[in-house]
Structures are given as structure tokens and as C-alpha cells.
Amino acid sequence: MDTSVELVIRKLLSAVDTYRATDLHLSVGNPPMMRVAGKLAPVPDQPLLTPSFMETIVLSWLDDDDRERLYEKKDLTVAKTFENKKRFRISVFYQQGHLSAALMLVPDIIPTVQQLGLPVAAQQLASVNSGLVLVIGPYGSQQDLTIASFIESRNQNTQSHIVTIEEPVEVLFNDNRSVIDQREVGKDVPSVAQGLKFILEEDVDVVMVTDLSDHDAMRMALQVAGSGKVIYAIMNATTIVGALTTIIHSYPGEDQDQARSELAGNLAGVINQRLVTSVAGDKVMLAEVMVPNDPIKNIIQTGELAQLPNAMQTSVGDPGIRTMTLAVQEAAQRGLITRQDVDRLVPQQRRLT
């Protein structure tokens, strides 16, 4: 790589470190931009990025297989550790015919569930014996850190064989009391669904999936959960009702009764989380948690999912239930968010369907 390009990369990484940025955005015709305290700002003293610079820098981050996939699909996500030991999730894509990249910093240290600000109702899901645990929420709500914290908790406290299926491998785990195998889709397994199928035939205790998005993978995830293993998975959904509906609809119509039965029997819990800006300007985690009790299992079994919000509201005293409304109100009582935030967030959360 051209030494001048290497120098720019070092300066950009140094700026991310100095300003404690979480993201770096690179696109032709713009200066490098970084996200600091939730807001985008240009990296100081950097020129507008050129097509040749972006071509050089992006391709230097990719191996031959990655380049082939990029040319074919025009979009690619990889992870890379740079010489300053910082690791980034890198999304590469085209815009107006030019390569662009968005880099998200991967934390050096995996936070605990408590450090993430998750409630006690969510913390118990770190030690379930079997079943499917879903983590959902809007993009950028740290779902990846939540399931990573669960895996690290088990790594430190149990003697387990843990397998992750990731797109790409982001957080790098170090074996402690457990053995952890990290498999990347496209390199180690052909797909999430196929990776889960392999796991059914292997001696595995705990599974982590960072993107449970296609129907085959959803059906395989329920099979894995039903086999007595624990599976933590991120789903692209913003409500609990929406997530469960998507899983049930991943089955053909004639099999959806079976899907509801399997889901009712094997769902260990759902965490719906989101980050909001606090009064102090930093980020606060708000989390809704549902560990199914008997009434909720019955609702899932019968398919009347529209009743879930009311069932959760009437089960607030249950240690495994925490509504988003309660999370928002408690954050306001602690002075973390304003009354205006409550007015904005609570009505939205009541529309769980």
C-alpha cells in the first residue's frame, strides 16, 4: 500500500481514539466523518476523499474471497484488527459508482450485563439451561454486546462448548473455563442455517447467532433450542410481537401450529433494547424483557400474539417481565431522561404490534 495512504489511515485511527468516536464514515467527495457522542463531525485537518484513495484503502482491507464477493454483491461486511490493536466492523458498499466504507468500533473489553445497564430480568437469561433467547431492537442498540456479554459470562463461569455463527466475527473471545469456536458465514460455514444444522450433530452446549434473518435459519434455531442447547440470537425486529410473528411465519401455513407449539415450549426469553440520549448527552440503555410465564406461553401456543402487550402489563410483578413503559418511567425518575422523552417514547412502546 502507498505510504501516504497508510499515513492517512494512522491519522484516522488516531482521531477515533482521541475523540472517543464510535464510528468512522468514508465516502468519495466528503471528508472522513466520525460519530462522537452520537453526532457526526468531520475528522479535523483531513481533505476530501478521492476515488483512487477509497479504492486503495478499501481493497487493502479485503482478501481475494472478500473482493470477489464485493464485486458480485456490491456490498460486504468484514471485521479487521488494525495495527493499533483496535478492531472494527467494516461495511463496504458502492454509492454513485464509488467505493464507500462505514467502520464501527468493536469494544476492546466485553462489558458485563450489569455494565450494559440491562435489568435483572435480562441478567437471568445469561444462565438459562436451554432454549432460544432473542435480542431485538433498532439498529445500533448494542444487541451484539448483549449476546457477547452472555457468552463471556458463560465463558468465565461454566465449562461449556460454545459455538458462534457470525457475519462477520466481531468480538474475539479468549477461552477461559469454556471452549469457544467462532465460525464466520461465508468462510467457515456456508450459511447460518447450515451452520446450525452442523451444530445439531455436534457436542455443543451454547450457540450464538448474530443475524437470525432468513426463514431456514429461524426454523433451524428452534430445532437447536429444542435439542436442549442454549441459543442466543439477534433478530432484526423492533417489537416482541413482530419478532415472534416473523418466526412463526417462517414456517409454511400448514406447519404454523407446530411452529407455535415449538416456540411456546422452547422460547427462553426476549430482550427488546434501545439506546436513547440521556440528559448528560451520553447513551442510556432501555430494555423490555419477556421470560415467558404460563399465560404468555399459552398466548404463543394459540397464536393470539396481539394479546402479549396486555399479558406483559398484567405480569409486571413477575421477575421475568419488564415492559418498556416501566423502563422509560424508571429512567425518568432517575433523572436520566426528560419528561419530553417519556412522552415521546411511551406511546411508541404501547404500539407493540
Side-chain angles (χ1 to χ4, degrees), residues 20-148:
R20 297 184 178 181
T22 57
D23 300 83
L24 183 65
H25 295 269
L26 308 175
S27 62
V28 171
N30 295 309
M33 303 290 288
M34 58 184 175
R35 188 173 296 279
V36 180
K39 297 181 179 179
L40 281 178
V43 178
D45 304 319
Q46 290 298 314
L48 303 183
L49 299 173
T50 64
S52 61
F53 174 86
M54 287 303 303
E55 185 89 10
T56 301
I57 192 173
V58 167
L59 295 183
S60 73
W61 296 336
L62 308 179
D63 61 26
D64 290 342
D65 289 340
D66 290 332
R67 294 182 186 188
E68 185 175 334
R69 284 190 291 158
L70 175 62
Y71 295 145
E72 177 186 353
K73 298 183 177 180
K74 303 297 183 183
D75 188 281
L76 180 70
T77 302
V78 297
K80 178 178 175 61
T81 302
F82 289 89
E83 61 182 27
N84 65 348
K85 307 302 181 184
K86 297 295 184 182
R87 188 167 176 82
F88 288 83
R89 175 189 174 99
I90 306 173
S91 298
V92 180
F93 52 93
Y94 284 89
Q95 62 92 20
Q96 297 185 22
H98 300 302
L99 280 171
S100 297
L103 291 78
M104 183 179 72
L105 183 65
V106 177
D108 298 324
I109 300 173
I110 302 171
T112 65
V113 178
Q114 294 86 349
Q115 289 170 336
L116 285 172
L118 289 169
V120 174
Q123 295 175 27
Q124 64 181 299
L125 293 173
S127 56
V128 294
N129 294 320
S130 64
L132 173 63
V133 177
L134 297 173
V135 182
I136 66 173
Y139 176 80
S141 296
Q142 296 186 343
Q143 298 95 324
D144 52 343
L145 290 184
T146 293
I147 59 172

Side-chain angles (χ1 to χ4, degrees), residues 86-337:
K86 297 295 184 182
R87 188 167 176 82
F88 288 83
R89 175 189 174 99
I90 306 173
S91 298
V92 180
F93 52 93
Y94 284 89
Q95 62 92 20
Q96 297 185 22
H98 300 302
L99 280 171
S100 297
L103 291 78
M104 183 179 72
L105 183 65
V106 177
D108 298 324
I109 300 173
I110 302 171
T112 65
V113 178
Q114 294 86 349
Q115 289 170 336
L116 285 172
L118 289 169
V120 174
Q123 295 175 27
Q124 64 181 299
L125 293 173
S127 56
V128 294
N129 294 320
S130 64
L132 173 63
V133 177
L134 297 173
V135 182
I136 66 173
Y139 176 80
S141 296
Q142 296 186 343
Q143 298 95 324
D144 52 343
L145 290 184
T146 293
I147 59 172
S149 72
F150 288 159
I151 295 301
E152 184 58 22
S153 175
R154 288 182 175 272
N155 184 30
Q156 294 181 13
N157 296 296
T158 68
Q159 293 174 305
S160 304
H161 181 204
I162 301 171
V163 175
T164 73
I165 302 176
E166 306 177 65
E167 298 184 70
V169 171
E170 294 184 30
V171 175
L172 298 177
F173 295 97
N174 295 312
D175 292 356
N176 191 330
R177 297 188 66 195
S178 293
V179 174
I180 304 178
D181 295 322
Q182 296 187 253
R183 300 175 182 173
E184 183 166 326
V185 174
K187 294 188 175 182
D188 303 310
V189 293
S191 66
V192 173
Q194 193 63 46
L196 290 172
K197 185 176 181 181
F198 294 157
I199 284 170
L200 278 174
E201 303 167 356
E202 299 172 2
D203 179 27
V204 177
D205 302 298
V206 180
V207 183
M208 181 183 97
V209 176
T210 59
D211 184 17
L212 193 65
S213 57
D214 69 79
H215 288 181
D216 288 341
M218 292 175 193
R219 294 194 292 269
M220 288 304 306
L222 271 185
Q223 287 190 46
V224 170
S227 71
K229 306 179 194 302
V230 179
I231 175 167
Y232 297 104
I234 295 174
M235 269 192 73
N236 181 23
T238 57
T239 69
I240 293 175
V241 171
L244 302 190
T245 299
T246 299
I247 291 176
I248 292 169
H249 287 174
S250 72
Y251 287 73
E254 64 273 15
D255 295 332
Q256 288 184 8
D257 284 345
Q258 174 194 346
R260 286 190 287 268
S261 179
E262 291 182 2
L263 190 58
N266 296 308
L267 181 67
V270 186
I271 302 172
N272 180 17
Q273 62 187 56
R274 60 201 59 218
L275 292 178
V276 298
T277 303
S278 73
V279 173
D282 54 3
K283 294 296 183 180
V284 175
M285 175 75 75
L286 301 177
E288 176 177 55
V289 184
M290 186 187 78
V291 177
N293 53 26
D294 287 341
I296 288 175
K297 289 179 181 179
N298 184 62
I299 287 173
I300 297 172
Q301 175 79 59
T302 58
E304 299 182 10
L305 298 182
Q307 296 181 15
L308 274 180
N310 287 336
M312 290 180 63
Q313 191 64 44
T314 57
S315 301
V316 164
D318 188 313
I321 302 295
R322 177 185 173 88
T323 65
M324 187 63 79
T325 297
L326 181 60
V328 170
Q329 291 171 342
E330 288 184 356
Q333 290 169 1
R334 293 166 57 195
L336 299 175
I337 60 176

